[in-house]
Amino acid sequence: MTADANAGKRSAWGRFKGSWGIALRMARRDVRRHKGRSALIMIMVALPTALLVFAIVSAATSQVTGAEQIPSRMGNGVAMVDYPQVGMNVEQPPDPNAGGTGSSNGGKEIPGWVDGGSSFDNAAVMSTLTGTKAVPLLEETVTTRRDGRRLNLQSLALDARQGVTGKVTLTSGRFPERAGEVLVTTAGSGRGLPTSGTFDVRAGLVDVKVDVVGTADVVSDGGGQYLDLVTSQPMISGVSGGTWVLLDDKPVTWSKVMDLNRYGLTVWSAEMLRNPPAMSELPPRVQDMAGFDDDRTGSFVAIGGALLLVITTLLVGPAFAVSAARQRRTLALAASNGSTTAQLRHTVLAQAVVLGILAAAVGAALGIGAAWLLTHRVWFAENFALSGPFEVPLLPVIGTTVTAMASAVIAALIPARRLGRLDIIGVMKGQSVSPRPSKVVFLIGAVLAGVGGAAVISFAASQAATGRDGGEIGTVLATIALVVGAVMLSPMILVGIARLSSRLPVPLRMATRDAGRQRSRSVPSVAAILAGVAALTMVLIASGSDEEQSRREYAAQNLLGDTTAFVNGENPKAEDLERIADGFRSVRAGLVVSPVASIDSGDPMMYSMSPNPPSKPYDTRAINVVPPGCTPQQTVYDPSPSLDASGQPPCQAIGTHGMGNSGAQMNFTTLEELSRRLSAIGHTADVDAVRKGAVVVTRAPGDKRIIENGAITVMTATQRTDPTATEVTDPSANLRDVETTTVPAIEIDITRDTAGALFNASLLATTEVATAQGWSTRTSKLTLHDPAGPISQDLTDRLGFGADDDVYLTTERGFVSELGPIIAVLLGVFMLLLLVITLTSTALTLAEQENDQATLAALGSGRGTRRIMAAAQAFTLCIIGVVLGVAVGIVPGIALAYPLTAQSYDPLTGNSLMGDPILVFPWLLLLGFAIAVPVVSAALAAAGIRKAPDATHRTA
C-alpha cells in the first residue's frame, strides 16, 4: 500500500474520530444542561435494566448447585452421606440435586447396621464401610415456651470437636461438650432464645433443661439459615435418621459413590460436585436423571433481553425525538455551514451513547446491589432474604447491560436517520413538516402485525391443547413482531385520522392535523403509549381470566365466618388440644371450639415426621366402606377392575386401603357441631337421624352410590405390610381378622358451596359413632365458631397471637380476590408513565407552536384558548395511543389466558379437566383507564399554560 493511501486512511479515521469526539463532548455538555430530560431518559433505561438484572442475579443466587453446596452440606469433609434406604440399590447423578435419585430392590446389607438407629448409633459402622472418619449429624425438632407461647425449634446435633469445620461457626463461648449443653444460633436468638444461662426444652416426651454455652452461625444442608440450636449429641432418644460427614485425605471418587449406592446410600461427594464426570461416563439411567433438571436460564435471559430491548426503545423514543426536534435549528445552522449528514447524526447518537451507557450501568449496579442486600439480610430485607452464596452470572448481566445500551442507541437512531432529509431552509424559517409516510413501511407493518398476531394465538392454542409449557421464545418473538408491526402502521394511521378530522371541534382538528404533519415527534409518543397500554391490557386480560377460573374452582373449607385451627405434629395429645382450645376461649368468651378427627390406620408412613421409611414388616388397620355388590377384599384390591366414570375401581370409594379409597375424607366431630352444620346447609331434617347414630355420606356429581337400604357396610381388618418385599403381591391376601358391620347412613348431594360446611368429607360422623364402631381416630384440627357472628380478621389475629407456633389458623371468607392492590399499583405506574410520555411530547409541540401562540395572543385570544389548544394536543396523542394499545394488547392477552385457563380443576372430584379457556375482558377497567389518562394529561397540559407568550414580529 502506498504512503498516500495510508495517509488517506489515517485522514479518514482521524475525521471519523474527530467527528465522534466533538459529538461526545457536545453530548456530555447537553446532558448537564438539560438535567430533567437526561434524568427521564436514564430512568426509562435504568429501571427495566435494574429489574431484569435483579431477577437474573436473584435466580442465580437462589440456585445452590454444584460446588456451592459443599460448605453448607459437609464443611471441610470430602463427602456427605444420607441415611440409607435399607435393602435398596440407589442410582444417583454426581449432584443428587441435578435431577433426583432412583432406587430399586436388591441392595446390599450394611455389615453391623443398627436397624432403626440414628446416624450417631451407626457412626462406627459407617466409618468401617467407607474407610473414613464418619462424623454423624442429626436434625431434630424440640419445643420450648417463651412468653407463654410454644416455639418449635430446629436443633442440629453435631460434635464439631471431631474435626468438621465450616458447618458451624462459633461467634462466642465454646462448643458443647456433653448432653444438656447447647449453642444458640443467630436465627434462634432472633426468635427470642437467650444467649446465656439456661432454659427448658421438651425433647420428645422428656423435659430437658439446657445450658447455653455460646452462640454460633450455622446453615442447613440446603443453605437455609433456620436452625436454632446446636448440640453435641441428639436430645431425643430412640430416633432414627441423620447423615454423616466423611473426613479423609483422599476424595470420594465416582466409582466409590456407585459402590456406596449399592448399600442404599446417597452420596454428596465434594470432588464430584467440583469436577463431575462427563455425561458419557454415566450409566444410561443416571444420564436421564442428570438431564431431568431443565435449566431454562438461557431462555429466560433471551426473553427478558428481547422484551427489554423493545420496551426500553419505545419508552425512550419520545425523549430522543424531543431532543432531536429541539436541536433542529442548531443542526440546520451546522448543516448550512458545511457539516455533513454523518456529523449531524453523530451529534444525536452521541447523546444516546452517553446516556445509554450511564443509565444501563447504573441500572445493572442497582439490580446487583438490591440482590446483594437481600443475600446479606440487611434489616429491611429480613423477610425477603435470598439463600445461597451471592453469585453474579457475568455473561447474562453483561448481555442485559449491553442490550439496554443498544436500546437507547436504537431509540435515537430513528430521529438521527431523519436528519438525512433535513429541510434546512424550512427549519430556519420555522417551518418543518414530516415527509409523506412510506407505503412500503405500512405494508411491512401490516404483514408483521398480522403474522405476529396469528403466531401468538397459534402458540397459545398449542400450549392449551397439549397442556405443555414451552415455546416461550417463539411467543415473545411473535408478540414483538405484533407490537413493531403496529408501530410501523402508526404514521399512516395518524395521517388517516388527520384526514377524517374535519367534523371535530377546532382544537381537536388542529391537534390531529398537527400530529399527522409532525410525525417525527408524534409517532414515537404514540408508539410508547401503545406499548405501555398493550402491556397493561395483556396483563389485565390474563390475570382477570386466571382469577375468574380461580373463582369458579374455589371450594370453601369451612362454613363462612368459621375458623379452622390446624395443629401440626405426628399425633397431638388430648391435653394439648384442650389447652389450645382453652387459650382460644380465653381470648373470646363463648367461642365454640370443636375437635375434628380423621380416621387413623396406624400406618407409620401416613403421619410420621421422620423421612426414613420403616425397614421391618408392620401392621396397619384397614377401615373401608364396602359398596353394594362388592366383597371386603375387593375394597382393598381388585385384580381386574372395570374403572368407573371417575377413573377409580368400582369397589373402592371411601377408606384407608385401596387405590380408589381416601381415608382422609372420613371425618368425625361432636354431635352438636355436626348438627349445626347440617342445619346451616338446609338439612335440618337429617339431624334426628344423626342423633340416632347415622353417618353422613356426601355425594358429588358422578360419584358412585354406596348406600343400600338406608345403611352402609364397613369392613375392618388388619393388613401386614412388608417394606423389604422384592415382589409385588396381592394386598388383600395379607388381610386378617376381616369383619363387616352395617351402619345407618344418610346421603347428601353436595356442591362447591356446601362441601366446606361438611369439611369436604366423603363420610362424616360423630365421634361417638367412631368410638362405638371401634374406629381409631386422630385429631389434628379444631373448628372455631362464634355464636355472635362471623369471626373477624381482628379476632383471627388475636386468636393466632396467643397460640403455639405450630398452630395455623385460617378463617373462611369465601373467594377473596388478591388482585385489587396489584391492579391498583399497575394502573398507577402505567398512568404515571403515560402521563410523562404525553406531557413530554405536548411540551415539544407547544414550544414549536410558540409563534402561533404569540399570533393568537396578539389577535386577542386569552389564556383559556391557549389552554384548550394545549389540552387538545395532549388528549389527541394520548387517546390515539391508548386505543391502539388496547387493540394490540388484546391479542397477547388472549394468548396468555389460553394456557392459563385451558386446564381446570374440579374441587369436588379432584380431577383435572381440559376444557374451553376462560376469557375475561375487563372492558370497564380498560374503558375507565382509556378515558382517565387522556383527560388527566389534557388537564395537566392545560394547567401548564400560565404566562402569555412573547408577541414578537413574524416574518413572511
Side-chain angles (χ1 to χ4, degrees), residues 639-716:
S640 57
S642 56
L643 302 182
D644 59 17
S646 62
Q648 302 295 346
C651 287
Q652 298 176 13
I654 304 172
T656 58
H657 290 62
M659 182 179 70
N661 291 319
S662 177
Q665 295 176 349
M666 302 173 70
N667 286 164
F668 309 91
T669 188
T670 64
L671 174 61
E672 293 75 12
E673 181 64 17
L674 180 53
S675 300
R676 182 180 72 88
R677 291 176 174 273
L678 289 174
S679 300
I681 60 173
H683 284 265
T684 307
D686 295 323
V687 171
D688 287 339
V690 170
R691 291 184 183 278
K692 295 177 181 178
V695 301
V696 176
V697 174
T698 62
R699 184 174 181 271
D703 281 357
K704 63 196 76 174
R705 294 190 179 277
I706 60 175
I707 296 180
E708 187 176 38
N709 300 323
I712 60 171
T713 300
V714 180
M715 66 83 72
T716 57

Side-chain angles (χ1 to χ4, degrees), residues 556-563 673 676-677 680-681 756-757 812:
Q557 301 300 308
N558 205 337
L559 280 172
L560 192 65
D562 282 8
T563 297
E673 181 64 17
R676 182 180 72 88
R677 291 176 174 273
I681 60 173
E812 180 59 52

Side-chain angles (χ1 to χ4, degrees), residues 128-140:
T128 303
L129 178 67
T130 60
T132 65
K133 182 179 181 180
V135 180
L137 293 85
L138 179 65
E139 292 189 14
E140 304 173 281

Side-chain angles (χ1 to χ4, degrees), residues 525-560:
S525 299
V526 169
I529 296 171
L530 182 154
V533 175
L536 179 64
T537 303
M538 174 183 67
V539 172
L540 290 179
I541 292 175
S543 60
S545 301
D546 189 49
E547 177 150 353
E548 174 61 19
Q549 184 184 51
S550 298
R551 186 191 65 79
R552 296 182 186 182
E553 294 178 351
Y554 179 78
Q557 301 300 308
N558 205 337
L559 280 172
L560 192 65

